[in-house]
Amino acid sequence: MHLAIVSFGPKRGKLLALFPILYNSGGTCIILIITGGKTLDLIFKTLCDRDAMCHAKSLTNTEWFLVFTCLAILIAQLPNLNSIAWVSLIGAITVVIYSTLIWALSITKDRPIGISYSQSDKLKSNMEKFSDVLNALGIIGLAFKGHNVILEIQGTLPSSPKQTSYKSMCTGVTISYIVIAMCQYPLAIAGFWAYGNKVPYSGGQGLLTAFSQIHGPNTSKLMMTSIYLLVLVNCLCTFQVYAMVVFDNLEVRYTSKKNQPCPRWVRTCLRIFYGGLAFFLSVTFPFLGSLAPLVGGATLPLTFAYPCFMWIAMRKPRPNGLVWFINTGLGCFGIVLAILIVIAAAWTLADRGLKANFYKP
């Protein structure tokens, strides 16, 4: 938000950045509550196994959402991004472990019967095929939609005019993307080889759902519970990072109005309020994952376009020079890509419909 205001001015900066930042941070937290709550339910059902009495005592999805929210807000009492570095590290370790377990177990087990690696395009119109291509690009792009948080993390690195944080930023980003590639590429390649067209992708489902449905029954209870626990811990840790952006903005507003530091009790109340609001929205819109390509596409410029125009506004390179053309071209490409993804997502929703189960998670 601060970079947008400095680059584009107070009014235009808030207009352009406020909604994408709130959705990327708040929307991600809502989806994490939905995912975390359902993962708690899966852990409970896995531990119950075939015990009918145990299954009868299971909580509803709404209650599982509430349990996850309480756990997340309990951890969220840490004051700033610097203090949650160890939480972020735990989250990174868990995602590496569970993604490795999923792809490794997937390739060691038999592939399902009737698996196919081709799309059934014979009955699809050209517009439907084009929409599928854009939706696929949207899914790839949305994997990076929340990376505006990187700017917040960089703000915590020690920096001065003589000793800038440029090198440490580059080192951190390089290491981060190496780890991301180590997780994502094996998942994509091994997952496609193991499941093909059996992977459900609607409503935020993916390889974990495919693995649970196809190989869950013949995988040990200990292994399935371990995978679900790792996913749960990752959701709790990720919640802290994305929620901290909102927490910081709320505390800055309080400090600027009261002209005094934010007391601990106020900080706690703000976090509880935000957790309650995120929980309410997760129960209201449990289908938010299905809307991610549509709403998320509108926020893609925050990641793929705004940084290019921010750089031009602040660094002021020579007009019509090579660097100016590269940044302008990439920024315009990001905006066009976002518009196309929104159109494709809207077309898909209009064609296939949306199961809008308000207040029925």
Side-chain angles (χ1 to χ4, degrees):
M1 179 64 77
H2 297 155
L3 279 174
I5 290 172
V6 171
S7 305
F8 308 130
K11 290 185 179 179
R12 191 182 299 172
K14 288 181 180 179
L15 180 66
L16 292 174
L18 184 60
F19 171 72
I21 288 174
L22 288 177
Y23 176 76
N24 279 335
S25 300
T28 303
C29 288
I30 294 168
I31 291 176
L32 286 169
I33 291 175
I34 296 170
T35 305
K38 291 181 178 178
T39 305
L40 281 168
D41 186 38
L42 288 171
I43 293 172
F44 183 84
K45 290 178 178 176
T46 304
L47 292 174
C48 283
D49 200 9
R50 294 179 177 86
D51 189 341
M53 288 292 292
C54 182
H55 280 284
K57 295 177 181 178
S58 177
L59 302 177
T60 64
N61 282 338
T62 301
E63 291 167 337
W64 284 124
F65 289 3
L66 181 60
V67 171
F68 178 86
T69 305
C70 292
L71 290 173
I73 296 303
L74 189 65
I75 302 172
Q77 300 309 311
L78 298 168
N80 51 49
L81 278 170
N82 280 313
S83 62
I84 64 169
W86 62 273
V87 177
S88 180
L89 177 62
I90 293 173
I93 293 171
T94 55
V95 75
V96 171
I97 296 173
Y98 84 69
S99 62
T100 303
L101 283 174
I102 290 172
W103 72 257
L105 290 171
S106 296
I107 62 175
T108 56
K109 295 181 179 292
D110 295 333
R111 283 182 286 180
I113 299 172
I115 187 174
S116 173
Y117 299 105
S118 61
Q119 294 288 330
S120 55
D121 290 340
K122 294 181 180 179
L123 302 177
K124 289 187 176 182
S125 65
N126 290 332
M127 183 60 193
E128 288 175 321
K129 294 178 183 178
F130 182 62
S131 175
D132 286 345
V133 171
L134 289 178
N135 276 317
L137 289 174
I139 291 170
I140 296 170
L142 288 172
F144 302 93
K145 73 179 179 62
H147 286 205
N148 62 299
V149 177
I150 289 175
L151 300 175
E152 305 280 344
I153 295 171
Q154 288 174 346
T156 67
L157 297 174
S159 180
S160 66
K162 292 183 179 180
Q163 190 73 28
T164 66
S165 57
Y166 173 77
K167 288 185 178 180
S168 54
M169 286 182 186
C170 289
T171 303
V173 170
T174 302
I175 294 173
S176 297
Y177 277 94
I178 289 173
V179 175
I180 290 170
M182 287 169 56
C183 295
Q184 300 282 23
Y185 281 108
L187 271 178
I189 297 168
F192 183 65
W193 178 86
Y195 305 111
N197 61 344
K198 301 292 184 181
V199 179
Y201 62 89
S202 61
Q205 299 181 92
L207 282 178
L208 180 60
T209 305
F211 177 79
S212 302
Q213 291 175 350
I214 296 170
H215 295 307
N218 58 1
T219 304
S220 69
K221 184 193 296 187
L222 177 62
M223 181 58 68
M224 292 304 301
T225 305
S226 299
I227 291 174
Y228 292 144
L229 280 173
L230 289 167
V231 173
L232 176 64
V233 172
N234 176 257
C235 288
L236 287 169
C237 294
T238 307
F239 184 95
Q240 311 308 315
V241 178
Y242 284 95
M244 190 58 71
V245 178
V246 181
F247 295 158
D248 280 347
N249 283 327
L250 291 174
E251 289 175 24
V252 165
R253 285 180 174 272
Y254 177 88
T255 304
S256 60
K257 284 188 176 182
K258 297 292 185 178
N259 199 23
Q260 64 180 17
C262 188
R264 187 171 182 176
W265 70 270
V266 173
R267 182 185 295 132
T268 302
C269 290
L270 289 174
R271 280 155 168 70
I272 293 173
F273 166 76
Y274 175 74
L277 179 62
F279 165 72
F280 173 75
L281 292 174
S282 67
V283 174
T284 305
F285 305 105
F287 54 91
L288 188 63
S290 302
L291 292 175
L294 178 64
V295 185
T299 66
L300 279 183
L302 188 69
T303 302
F304 295 112
Y306 289 3
C308 302
F309 297 127
M310 287 176 178
W311 197 89
I312 291 174
M314 288 189 283
R315 297 297 293 271
K316 294 181 173 56
R318 183 171 59 86
N320 301 322
L322 179 61
V323 176
W324 185 89
F325 270 118
I326 290 174
N327 279 277
T328 303
L330 288 173
C332 293
F333 174 76
I335 292 174
V336 171
L337 179 65
I339 293 172
L340 289 176
I341 288 172
V342 169
I343 293 173
W347 173 276
T348 303
L349 284 175
D351 183 50
R352 300 176 184 174
L354 174 68
K355 185 182 178 183
N357 51 325
F358 292 100
Y359 301 106
K360 294 179 182 179

